[in-house]
Amino acid sequence: MSQTTFGVALLGFGVVGGGVYNLLSQRGRIEAKHGFAFEVRKVLVRNLNSPKAMNLPPGVATTSIEEILSDQDIDVVVEVLAGLDPAREYIT
């Protein structure tokens, strides 16, 4: 079976976004069970200087939705923002 890795962007990094990030970061478990992997390549945050954002690997945190939408290495975008806006705007 060939190895496939899907690039993921998370829109939001609160409680839910952090949990999704942790699950997707368990590459070995996903690869072993399903034969493919997810790699979180970008995370949309409100503040690049927040403690959570600063714990992400260099270059992963961003405050720019345009940076995520223009990144050709992102295959899947997961919306985990609190509230209706700006989530609705980003998804539409």
Side-chain angles (χ1 to χ4, degrees):
M1 178 182 290
S2 67
Q3 178 63 38
T4 301
T5 301
F6 296 97
V8 176
L10 298 177
L11 305 184
F13 199 51
V15 172
V16 175
V20 171
Y21 178 84
N22 289 336
L23 287 172
L24 295 178
S25 296
Q26 298 175 7
R27 289 186 61 156
R29 286 183 59 194
I30 295 171
E31 288 172 327
K33 186 171 183 178
H34 301 289
F36 59 85
F38 295 106
E39 180 180 325
V40 179
R41 297 189 174 142
K42 292 287 178 189
V43 176
L44 184 70
V45 298
R46 287 187 186 145
N47 181 356
L48 292 174
N49 296 318
S50 73
K52 285 182 76 173
M54 292 178 74
N55 283 329
L56 290 169
V60 172
T62 182
T63 57
S64 169
I65 187 67
E66 291 81 17
E67 184 178 342
I68 290 171
L69 297 176
S70 66
D71 190 329
Q72 297 298 310
D73 292 327
I74 294 175
D75 304 298
V76 179
V77 177
V78 180
E79 184 274 308
V80 284
L81 293 165
L84 187 58
D85 288 312
R88 175 176 44 188
E89 177 187 339
Y90 294 160
I91 297 303
T92 57

